[in-house]
mmCIF file of all heavy atoms in Angstrom:
data_model
loop_
_atom_site.group_PDB
_atom_site.id
_atom_site.type_symbol
_atom_site.label_atom_id
_atom_site.label_comp_id
_atom_site.label_asym_id
_atom_site.label_seq_id
_atom_site.Cartn_x
_atom_site.Cartn_y
_atom_site.Cartn_z
ATOM 1 N N GLN Y 10 41.936 -222.512 -23.610
ATOM 2 C CA GLN Y 10 41.366 -222.059 -22.348
ATOM 3 C C GLN Y 10 41.572 -223.070 -21.211
ATOM 4 O O GLN Y 10 41.466 -222.724 -20.063
ATOM 5 C CB GLN Y 10 39.865 -221.772 -22.520
ATOM 6 C CG GLN Y 10 39.560 -220.680 -23.512
ATOM 7 C CD GLN Y 10 40.193 -219.361 -23.127
ATOM 8 O OE1 GLN Y 10 40.148 -218.955 -21.975
ATOM 9 N NE2 GLN Y 10 40.828 -218.698 -24.077
ATOM 10 N N LEU Y 11 41.814 -224.296 -21.565
ATOM 11 C CA LEU Y 11 41.981 -225.348 -20.579
ATOM 12 C C LEU Y 11 43.362 -225.238 -19.942
ATOM 13 O O LEU Y 11 44.375 -225.365 -20.625
ATOM 14 C CB LEU Y 11 41.812 -226.715 -21.244
ATOM 15 C CG LEU Y 11 41.834 -227.928 -20.332
ATOM 16 C CD1 LEU Y 11 40.627 -227.902 -19.388
ATOM 17 C CD2 LEU Y 11 41.807 -229.192 -21.164
ATOM 18 N N LYS Y 12 43.408 -224.992 -18.638
ATOM 19 C CA LYS Y 12 44.687 -224.869 -17.942
ATOM 20 C C LYS Y 12 44.961 -226.156 -17.164
ATOM 21 O O LYS Y 12 44.108 -226.636 -16.428
ATOM 22 C CB LYS Y 12 44.653 -223.678 -16.987
ATOM 23 C CG LYS Y 12 44.617 -222.333 -17.685
ATOM 24 C CD LYS Y 12 44.456 -221.220 -16.676
ATOM 25 C CE LYS Y 12 45.767 -220.573 -16.383
ATOM 26 N NZ LYS Y 12 45.615 -219.464 -15.418
ATOM 27 N N ILE Y 13 46.148 -226.679 -17.381
ATOM 28 C CA ILE Y 13 46.578 -227.886 -16.695
ATOM 29 C C ILE Y 13 47.883 -227.565 -15.979
ATOM 30 O O ILE Y 13 48.718 -226.835 -16.505
ATOM 31 C CB ILE Y 13 46.781 -229.036 -17.698
ATOM 32 C CG1 ILE Y 13 45.449 -229.367 -18.387
ATOM 33 C CG2 ILE Y 13 47.341 -230.267 -17.018
ATOM 34 C CD1 ILE Y 13 45.577 -230.374 -19.506
ATOM 35 N N ALA Y 14 48.050 -228.133 -14.801
ATOM 36 C CA ALA Y 14 49.270 -227.890 -14.033
ATOM 37 C C ALA Y 14 49.685 -229.192 -13.351
ATOM 38 O O ALA Y 14 48.952 -230.174 -13.356
ATOM 39 C CB ALA Y 14 49.038 -226.796 -12.998
ATOM 40 N N PHE Y 15 50.864 -229.168 -12.779
ATOM 41 C CA PHE Y 15 51.305 -230.308 -11.995
ATOM 42 C C PHE Y 15 52.039 -229.809 -10.764
ATOM 43 O O PHE Y 15 52.456 -228.659 -10.691
ATOM 44 C CB PHE Y 15 52.199 -231.253 -12.813
ATOM 45 C CG PHE Y 15 53.537 -230.683 -13.159
ATOM 46 C CD1 PHE Y 15 54.623 -230.878 -12.314
ATOM 47 C CD2 PHE Y 15 53.714 -229.951 -14.323
ATOM 48 C CE1 PHE Y 15 55.867 -230.347 -12.629
ATOM 49 C CE2 PHE Y 15 54.953 -229.431 -14.647
ATOM 50 C CZ PHE Y 15 56.031 -229.626 -13.801
ATOM 51 N N VAL Y 16 52.139 -230.687 -9.778
ATOM 52 C CA VAL Y 16 52.905 -230.393 -8.571
ATOM 53 C C VAL Y 16 53.855 -231.560 -8.311
ATOM 54 O O VAL Y 16 53.637 -232.669 -8.774
ATOM 55 C CB VAL Y 16 51.998 -230.168 -7.335
ATOM 56 C CG1 VAL Y 16 51.149 -228.928 -7.498
ATOM 57 C CG2 VAL Y 16 51.137 -231.377 -7.057
ATOM 58 N N ARG Y 17 54.908 -231.270 -7.576
ATOM 59 C CA ARG Y 17 55.854 -232.293 -7.137
ATOM 60 C C ARG Y 17 55.762 -232.345 -5.622
ATOM 61 O O ARG Y 17 56.398 -231.580 -4.908
ATOM 62 C CB ARG Y 17 57.265 -231.956 -7.606
ATOM 63 C CG ARG Y 17 57.390 -232.004 -9.121
ATOM 64 C CD ARG Y 17 58.747 -231.540 -9.609
ATOM 65 N NE ARG Y 17 58.871 -230.102 -9.350
ATOM 66 C CZ ARG Y 17 59.982 -229.521 -8.923
ATOM 67 N NH1 ARG Y 17 61.069 -230.220 -8.694
ATOM 68 N NH2 ARG Y 17 60.004 -228.224 -8.724
ATOM 69 N N THR Y 18 54.939 -233.243 -5.139
ATOM 70 C CA THR Y 18 54.635 -233.304 -3.712
ATOM 71 C C THR Y 18 55.880 -233.533 -2.861
ATOM 72 O O THR Y 18 56.033 -232.915 -1.806
ATOM 73 C CB THR Y 18 53.592 -234.400 -3.433
ATOM 74 O OG1 THR Y 18 52.448 -234.160 -4.260
ATOM 75 C CG2 THR Y 18 53.153 -234.381 -1.985
ATOM 76 N N GLY Y 19 56.761 -234.418 -3.311
ATOM 77 C CA GLY Y 19 57.995 -234.661 -2.545
ATOM 78 C C GLY Y 19 58.806 -233.399 -2.373
ATOM 79 O O GLY Y 19 59.328 -233.110 -1.285
ATOM 80 N N TYR Y 20 58.921 -232.641 -3.440
ATOM 81 C CA TYR Y 20 59.647 -231.370 -3.397
ATOM 82 C C TYR Y 20 58.948 -230.388 -2.450
ATOM 83 O O TYR Y 20 59.601 -229.721 -1.646
ATOM 84 C CB TYR Y 20 59.732 -230.805 -4.812
ATOM 85 C CG TYR Y 20 60.294 -229.407 -4.882
ATOM 86 C CD1 TYR Y 20 61.659 -229.186 -4.720
ATOM 87 C CD2 TYR Y 20 59.466 -228.321 -5.113
ATOM 88 C CE1 TYR Y 20 62.179 -227.896 -4.791
ATOM 89 C CE2 TYR Y 20 59.980 -227.036 -5.188
ATOM 90 C CZ TYR Y 20 61.327 -226.828 -5.021
ATOM 91 O OH TYR Y 20 61.833 -225.566 -5.083
ATOM 92 N N ILE Y 21 57.628 -230.311 -2.554
ATOM 93 C CA ILE Y 21 56.870 -229.404 -1.677
ATOM 94 C C ILE Y 21 57.093 -229.785 -0.227
ATOM 95 O O ILE Y 21 57.414 -228.944 0.617
ATOM 96 C CB ILE Y 21 55.369 -229.437 -2.028
ATOM 97 C CG1 ILE Y 21 55.123 -228.813 -3.405
ATOM 98 C CG2 ILE Y 21 54.543 -228.713 -0.962
ATOM 99 C CD1 ILE Y 21 53.720 -229.051 -3.959
ATOM 100 N N MET Y 22 56.938 -231.069 0.074
ATOM 101 C CA MET Y 22 57.045 -231.512 1.462
ATOM 102 C C MET Y 22 58.461 -231.333 2.003
ATOM 103 O O MET Y 22 58.635 -230.972 3.170
ATOM 104 C CB MET Y 22 56.609 -232.972 1.598
ATOM 105 C CG MET Y 22 55.143 -233.175 1.332
ATOM 106 S SD MET Y 22 54.126 -232.128 2.402
ATOM 107 C CE MET Y 22 52.527 -232.725 1.965
ATOM 108 N N SER Y 23 59.459 -231.568 1.163
ATOM 109 C CA SER Y 23 60.828 -231.415 1.651
ATOM 110 C C SER Y 23 61.158 -229.954 1.939
ATOM 111 O O SER Y 23 62.111 -229.667 2.664
ATOM 112 C CB SER Y 23 61.832 -231.994 0.647
ATOM 113 O OG SER Y 23 61.864 -231.215 -0.530
ATOM 114 N N ASN Y 24 60.372 -229.048 1.405
ATOM 115 C CA ASN Y 24 60.581 -227.622 1.643
ATOM 116 C C ASN Y 24 59.538 -227.015 2.572
ATOM 117 O O ASN Y 24 59.470 -225.794 2.702
ATOM 118 C CB ASN Y 24 60.580 -226.868 0.303
ATOM 119 C CG ASN Y 24 61.836 -227.136 -0.471
ATOM 120 O OD1 ASN Y 24 62.894 -226.636 -0.134
ATOM 121 N ND2 ASN Y 24 61.733 -227.964 -1.494
ATOM 122 N N TYR Y 25 58.758 -227.858 3.231
ATOM 123 C CA TYR Y 25 57.691 -227.368 4.114
ATOM 124 C C TYR Y 25 58.007 -227.796 5.543
ATOM 125 O O TYR Y 25 57.932 -228.975 5.884
ATOM 126 C CB TYR Y 25 56.347 -227.923 3.633
ATOM 127 C CG TYR Y 25 55.138 -227.356 4.324
ATOM 128 C CD1 TYR Y 25 54.974 -225.988 4.507
ATOM 129 C CD2 TYR Y 25 54.145 -228.204 4.787
ATOM 130 C CE1 TYR Y 25 53.856 -225.480 5.132
ATOM 131 C CE2 TYR Y 25 53.017 -227.691 5.415
ATOM 132 C CZ TYR Y 25 52.880 -226.337 5.581
ATOM 133 O OH TYR Y 25 51.769 -225.826 6.206
ATOM 134 N N GLU Y 26 58.390 -226.849 6.349
ATOM 135 C CA GLU Y 26 58.863 -227.123 7.711
ATOM 136 C C GLU Y 26 57.873 -227.923 8.559
ATOM 137 O O GLU Y 26 58.286 -228.858 9.266
ATOM 138 C CB GLU Y 26 59.256 -225.816 8.412
ATOM 139 C CG GLU Y 26 59.891 -226.004 9.776
ATOM 140 C CD GLU Y 26 61.213 -226.754 9.752
ATOM 141 O OE1 GLU Y 26 61.878 -226.794 8.699
ATOM 142 O OE2 GLU Y 26 61.591 -227.304 10.807
ATOM 143 N N PRO Y 27 56.587 -227.603 8.564
ATOM 144 C CA PRO Y 27 55.661 -228.412 9.376
ATOM 145 C C PRO Y 27 55.701 -229.906 9.026
ATOM 146 O O PRO Y 27 55.567 -230.756 9.900
ATOM 147 C CB PRO Y 27 54.289 -227.807 9.075
ATOM 148 C CG PRO Y 27 54.591 -226.383 8.744
ATOM 149 C CD PRO Y 27 55.892 -226.437 7.987
ATOM 150 N N TYR Y 28 55.910 -230.214 7.757
ATOM 151 C CA TYR Y 28 56.018 -231.621 7.357
ATOM 152 C C TYR Y 28 57.290 -232.244 7.931
ATOM 153 O O TYR Y 28 57.257 -233.346 8.469
ATOM 154 C CB TYR Y 28 56.008 -231.755 5.835
ATOM 155 C CG TYR Y 28 56.237 -233.178 5.377
ATOM 156 C CD1 TYR Y 28 55.220 -234.119 5.451
ATOM 157 C CD2 TYR Y 28 57.485 -233.572 4.890
ATOM 158 C CE1 TYR Y 28 55.435 -235.425 5.046
ATOM 159 C CE2 TYR Y 28 57.701 -234.874 4.481
ATOM 160 C CZ TYR Y 28 56.678 -235.801 4.557
ATOM 161 O OH TYR Y 28 56.895 -237.088 4.169
ATOM 162 N N ARG Y 29 58.401 -231.544 7.810
ATOM 163 C CA ARG Y 29 59.668 -232.078 8.337
ATOM 164 C C ARG Y 29 59.569 -232.310 9.844
ATOM 165 O O ARG Y 29 60.036 -233.334 10.354
ATOM 166 C CB ARG Y 29 60.825 -231.142 7.986
ATOM 167 C CG ARG Y 29 61.145 -231.130 6.495
ATOM 168 C CD ARG Y 29 62.488 -230.470 6.189
ATOM 169 N NE ARG Y 29 62.603 -229.120 6.685
ATOM 170 C CZ ARG Y 29 62.553 -228.031 5.938
ATOM 171 N NH1 ARG Y 29 62.362 -228.125 4.636
ATOM 172 N NH2 ARG Y 29 62.693 -226.843 6.472
ATOM 173 N N VAL Y 30 58.956 -231.374 10.552
ATOM 174 C CA VAL Y 30 58.800 -231.517 12.008
ATOM 175 C C VAL Y 30 57.887 -232.702 12.330
ATOM 176 O O VAL Y 30 58.194 -233.515 13.208
ATOM 177 C CB VAL Y 30 58.250 -230.205 12.620
ATOM 178 C CG1 VAL Y 30 57.823 -230.398 14.066
ATOM 179 C CG2 VAL Y 30 59.283 -229.088 12.502
ATOM 180 N N ALA Y 31 56.772 -232.803 11.612
ATOM 181 C CA ALA Y 31 55.831 -233.901 11.850
ATOM 182 C C ALA Y 31 56.492 -235.252 11.586
ATOM 183 O O ALA Y 31 56.326 -236.204 12.358
ATOM 184 C CB ALA Y 31 54.587 -233.733 10.985
ATOM 185 N N MET Y 32 57.256 -235.354 10.501
ATOM 186 C CA MET Y 32 57.911 -236.617 10.179
ATOM 187 C C MET Y 32 58.999 -236.965 11.188
ATOM 188 O O MET Y 32 59.156 -238.129 11.561
ATOM 189 C CB MET Y 32 58.498 -236.570 8.762
ATOM 190 C CG MET Y 32 57.457 -236.747 7.680
ATOM 191 S SD MET Y 32 56.441 -238.250 7.846
ATOM 192 C CE MET Y 32 57.659 -239.532 7.612
ATOM 193 N N LYS Y 33 59.750 -235.979 11.663
ATOM 194 C CA LYS Y 33 60.769 -236.257 12.675
ATOM 195 C C LYS Y 33 60.102 -236.742 13.963
ATOM 196 O O LYS Y 33 60.549 -237.719 14.577
ATOM 197 C CB LYS Y 33 61.627 -235.029 12.960
ATOM 198 C CG LYS Y 33 62.706 -235.333 14.007
ATOM 199 C CD LYS Y 33 63.598 -234.189 14.309
ATOM 200 C CE LYS Y 33 64.672 -234.482 15.307
ATOM 201 N NZ LYS Y 33 64.529 -235.566 16.229
ATOM 202 N N THR Y 34 59.023 -236.085 14.349
ATOM 203 C CA THR Y 34 58.287 -236.497 15.546
ATOM 204 C C THR Y 34 57.771 -237.915 15.385
ATOM 205 O O THR Y 34 57.879 -238.740 16.299
ATOM 206 C CB THR Y 34 57.123 -235.523 15.822
ATOM 207 O OG1 THR Y 34 57.650 -234.200 15.939
ATOM 208 C CG2 THR Y 34 56.371 -235.892 17.082
ATOM 209 N N PHE Y 35 57.217 -238.212 14.210
ATOM 210 C CA PHE Y 35 56.710 -239.560 13.967
ATOM 211 C C PHE Y 35 57.832 -240.593 13.998
ATOM 212 O O PHE Y 35 57.688 -241.640 14.620
ATOM 213 C CB PHE Y 35 55.967 -239.642 12.626
ATOM 214 C CG PHE Y 35 55.596 -241.046 12.272
ATOM 215 C CD1 PHE Y 35 54.566 -241.688 12.941
ATOM 216 C CD2 PHE Y 35 56.306 -241.750 11.309
ATOM 217 C CE1 PHE Y 35 54.236 -243.004 12.642
ATOM 218 C CE2 PHE Y 35 55.982 -243.052 10.999
ATOM 219 C CZ PHE Y 35 54.943 -243.684 11.668
ATOM 220 N N ARG Y 36 58.948 -240.314 13.331
ATOM 221 C CA ARG Y 36 60.066 -241.268 13.313
ATOM 222 C C ARG Y 36 60.610 -241.522 14.709
ATOM 223 O O ARG Y 36 60.954 -242.660 15.054
ATOM 224 C CB ARG Y 36 61.168 -240.777 12.384
ATOM 225 C CG ARG Y 36 60.835 -240.980 10.927
ATOM 226 C CD ARG Y 36 62.036 -240.667 10.030
ATOM 227 N NE ARG Y 36 61.569 -240.272 8.728
ATOM 228 C CZ ARG Y 36 61.615 -239.051 8.221
ATOM 229 N NH1 ARG Y 36 62.153 -238.062 8.899
ATOM 230 N NH2 ARG Y 36 61.143 -238.791 7.023
ATOM 231 N N ASP Y 37 60.710 -240.458 15.514
ATOM 232 C CA ASP Y 37 61.175 -240.621 16.899
ATOM 233 C C ASP Y 37 60.214 -241.513 17.678
ATOM 234 O O ASP Y 37 60.635 -242.399 18.432
ATOM 235 C CB ASP Y 37 61.321 -239.264 17.584
ATOM 236 C CG ASP Y 37 62.463 -238.428 17.025
ATOM 237 O OD1 ASP Y 37 63.297 -238.965 16.262
ATOM 238 O OD2 ASP Y 37 62.496 -237.205 17.322
ATOM 239 N N PHE Y 38 58.920 -241.280 17.496
ATOM 240 C CA PHE Y 38 57.901 -242.091 18.167
ATOM 241 C C PHE Y 38 57.995 -243.547 17.710
ATOM 242 O O PHE Y 38 57.995 -244.467 18.533
ATOM 243 C CB PHE Y 38 56.499 -241.523 17.871
ATOM 244 C CG PHE Y 38 55.388 -242.351 18.427
ATOM 245 C CD1 PHE Y 38 55.035 -242.252 19.766
ATOM 246 C CD2 PHE Y 38 54.675 -243.222 17.612
ATOM 247 C CE1 PHE Y 38 54.003 -243.015 20.285
ATOM 248 C CE2 PHE Y 38 53.640 -243.982 18.119
ATOM 249 C CZ PHE Y 38 53.305 -243.885 19.458
ATOM 250 N N GLU Y 39 58.098 -243.748 16.407
ATOM 251 C CA GLU Y 39 58.183 -245.100 15.843
ATOM 252 C C GLU Y 39 59.410 -245.833 16.387
ATOM 253 O O GLU Y 39 59.322 -247.002 16.786
ATOM 254 C CB GLU Y 39 58.239 -245.016 14.325
ATOM 255 C CG GLU Y 39 58.350 -246.359 13.632
ATOM 256 C CD GLU Y 39 58.472 -246.212 12.126
ATOM 257 O OE1 GLU Y 39 59.102 -245.244 11.648
ATOM 258 O OE2 GLU Y 39 57.931 -247.082 11.435
ATOM 259 N N THR Y 40 60.540 -245.160 16.426
ATOM 260 C CA THR Y 40 61.770 -245.762 16.932
ATOM 261 C C THR Y 40 61.617 -246.148 18.397
ATOM 262 O O THR Y 40 61.979 -247.269 18.802
ATOM 263 C CB THR Y 40 62.961 -244.796 16.752
ATOM 264 O OG1 THR Y 40 63.107 -244.510 15.355
ATOM 265 C CG2 THR Y 40 64.244 -245.367 17.310
ATOM 266 N N ALA Y 41 61.070 -245.253 19.199
ATOM 267 C CA ALA Y 41 60.906 -245.530 20.630
ATOM 268 C C ALA Y 41 59.968 -246.718 20.862
ATOM 269 O O ALA Y 41 60.274 -247.616 21.675
ATOM 270 C CB ALA Y 41 60.372 -244.285 21.348
ATOM 271 N N GLU Y 42 58.842 -246.744 20.154
ATOM 272 C CA GLU Y 42 57.884 -247.833 20.335
ATOM 273 C C GLU Y 42 58.452 -249.165 19.847
ATOM 274 O O GLU Y 42 58.242 -250.198 20.481
ATOM 275 C CB GLU Y 42 56.573 -247.517 19.605
ATOM 276 C CG GLU Y 42 55.791 -246.371 20.209
ATOM 277 C CD GLU Y 42 55.389 -246.606 21.651
ATOM 278 O OE1 GLU Y 42 54.817 -247.678 21.946
ATOM 279 O OE2 GLU Y 42 55.656 -245.727 22.497
ATOM 280 N N THR Y 43 59.163 -249.132 18.750
ATOM 281 C CA THR Y 43 59.770 -250.352 18.211
ATOM 282 C C THR Y 43 60.837 -250.878 19.160
ATOM 283 O O THR Y 43 60.922 -252.092 19.404
ATOM 284 C CB THR Y 43 60.359 -250.074 16.808
ATOM 285 O OG1 THR Y 43 59.314 -249.617 15.952
ATOM 286 C CG2 THR Y 43 60.999 -251.309 16.220
ATOM 287 N N GLU Y 44 61.644 -249.977 19.707
ATOM 288 C CA GLU Y 44 62.682 -250.398 20.655
ATOM 289 C C GLU Y 44 62.070 -251.004 21.914
ATOM 290 O O GLU Y 44 62.581 -252.007 22.430
ATOM 291 C CB GLU Y 44 63.595 -249.222 21.007
ATOM 292 C CG GLU Y 44 64.549 -248.865 19.887
ATOM 293 C CD GLU Y 44 65.385 -247.626 20.181
ATOM 294 O OE1 GLU Y 44 65.223 -246.994 21.254
ATOM 295 O OE2 GLU Y 44 66.217 -247.273 19.311
ATOM 296 N N LYS Y 45 60.986 -250.419 22.420
ATOM 297 C CA LYS Y 45 60.307 -250.985 23.597
ATOM 298 C C LYS Y 45 59.862 -252.416 23.318
ATOM 299 O O LYS Y 45 60.057 -253.314 24.143
ATOM 300 C CB LYS Y 45 59.069 -250.153 23.965
ATOM 301 C CG LYS Y 45 59.322 -248.887 24.694
ATOM 302 C CD LYS Y 45 57.969 -248.276 25.073
ATOM 303 C CE LYS Y 45 57.987 -246.792 25.015
ATOM 304 N NZ LYS Y 45 56.665 -246.193 25.271
ATOM 305 N N LEU Y 46 59.254 -252.600 22.163
ATOM 306 C CA LEU Y 46 58.757 -253.927 21.801
ATOM 307 C C LEU Y 46 59.905 -254.910 21.588
ATOM 308 O O LEU Y 46 59.822 -256.073 22.000
ATOM 309 C CB LEU Y 46 57.890 -253.819 20.544
ATOM 310 C CG LEU Y 46 56.967 -254.987 20.240
ATOM 311 C CD1 LEU Y 46 56.052 -255.304 21.416
ATOM 312 C CD2 LEU Y 46 56.131 -254.680 19.012
ATOM 313 N N GLN Y 47 60.995 -254.451 21.000
ATOM 314 C CA GLN Y 47 62.158 -255.322 20.808
ATOM 315 C C GLN Y 47 62.745 -255.753 22.150
ATOM 316 O O GLN Y 47 63.131 -256.914 22.320
ATOM 317 C CB GLN Y 47 63.221 -254.623 19.968
ATOM 318 C CG GLN Y 47 62.884 -254.566 18.497
ATOM 319 C CD GLN Y 47 63.911 -253.766 17.694
ATOM 320 O OE1 GLN Y 47 64.637 -252.949 18.219
ATOM 321 N NE2 GLN Y 47 63.929 -254.014 16.391
ATOM 322 N N LYS Y 48 62.810 -254.831 23.096
ATOM 323 C CA LYS Y 48 63.339 -255.176 24.428
ATOM 324 C C LYS Y 48 62.454 -256.213 25.100
ATOM 325 O O LYS Y 48 62.961 -257.155 25.721
ATOM 326 C CB LYS Y 48 63.475 -253.929 25.298
ATOM 327 C CG LYS Y 48 64.637 -253.061 24.900
ATOM 328 C CD LYS Y 48 64.746 -251.821 25.755
ATOM 329 C CE LYS Y 48 65.877 -250.930 25.234
ATOM 330 N NZ LYS Y 48 65.992 -249.675 25.962
ATOM 331 N N LYS Y 49 61.136 -256.044 24.973
ATOM 332 C CA LYS Y 49 60.222 -257.045 25.540
ATOM 333 C C LYS Y 49 60.431 -258.396 24.872
ATOM 334 O O LYS Y 49 60.399 -259.434 25.537
ATOM 335 C CB LYS Y 49 58.770 -256.598 25.379
ATOM 336 C CG LYS Y 49 58.364 -255.476 26.289
ATOM 337 C CD LYS Y 49 56.906 -255.102 26.078
ATOM 338 C CE LYS Y 49 56.486 -253.970 26.994
ATOM 339 N NZ LYS Y 49 55.061 -253.620 26.826
ATOM 340 N N GLY Y 50 60.652 -258.384 23.566
ATOM 341 C CA GLY Y 50 60.901 -259.626 22.838
ATOM 342 C C GLY Y 50 62.195 -260.288 23.279
ATOM 343 O O GLY Y 50 62.260 -261.517 23.432
ATOM 344 N N GLU Y 51 63.214 -259.495 23.496
ATOM 345 C CA GLU Y 51 64.501 -260.034 23.950
ATOM 346 C C GLU Y 51 64.370 -260.635 25.354
ATOM 347 O O GLU Y 51 64.926 -261.711 25.635
ATOM 348 C CB GLU Y 51 65.567 -258.944 23.931
ATOM 349 C CG GLU Y 51 65.982 -258.531 22.534
ATOM 350 C CD GLU Y 51 66.812 -257.250 22.500
ATOM 351 O OE1 GLU Y 51 67.146 -256.706 23.576
ATOM 352 O OE2 GLU Y 51 67.119 -256.786 21.379
ATOM 353 N N LEU Y 52 63.641 -259.940 26.232
ATOM 354 C CA LEU Y 52 63.408 -260.484 27.582
ATOM 355 C C LEU Y 52 62.632 -261.794 27.508
ATOM 356 O O LEU Y 52 62.924 -262.747 28.245
ATOM 357 C CB LEU Y 52 62.657 -259.470 28.442
ATOM 358 C CG LEU Y 52 63.442 -258.246 28.900
ATOM 359 C CD1 LEU Y 52 62.527 -257.240 29.607
ATOM 360 C CD2 LEU Y 52 64.569 -258.669 29.838
ATOM 361 N N PHE Y 53 61.646 -261.846 26.617
ATOM 362 C CA PHE Y 53 60.874 -263.076 26.444
ATOM 363 C C PHE Y 53 61.776 -264.209 25.958
ATOM 364 O O PHE Y 53 61.700 -265.326 26.478
ATOM 365 C CB PHE Y 53 59.717 -262.841 25.471
ATOM 366 C CG PHE Y 53 58.958 -264.094 25.161
ATOM 367 C CD1 PHE Y 53 58.106 -264.662 26.092
ATOM 368 C CD2 PHE Y 53 59.110 -264.716 23.929
ATOM 369 C CE1 PHE Y 53 57.422 -265.832 25.808
ATOM 370 C CE2 PHE Y 53 58.431 -265.889 23.631
ATOM 371 C CZ PHE Y 53 57.580 -266.449 24.575
#
């Protein structure tokens, strides 16, 4: 009677469009913020 299951979160997320969109948005934001800080560091 005991039912056990498993999920593969990586597989789920790679097939879930909202996750892909959220991660792309985050990566773009991270890249932009990191580049801004690097430019300030180079000027310094």
Side-chain angles (χ1 to χ4, degrees):
Q10 298 301 316
L11 185 65
K12 291 175 100 179
I13 298 173
F15 69 91
V16 294
R17 294 174 292 140
T18 305
Y20 172 75
I21 292 168
M22 293 304 186
S23 68
N24 287 286
Y25 188 48
E26 186 63 22
Y28 175 77
R29 291 194 304 254
V30 169
M32 283 306 295
K33 181 179 181 338
T34 304
F35 173 73
R36 284 188 206 109
D37 291 348
F38 175 80
E39 179 183 35
T40 300
E42 292 300 309
T43 301
E44 286 175 358
K45 282 185 215 175
L46 197 55
Q47 284 176 339
K48 286 179 184 177
K49 287 181 180 182
E51 289 167 4
L52 288 173
F53 175 73

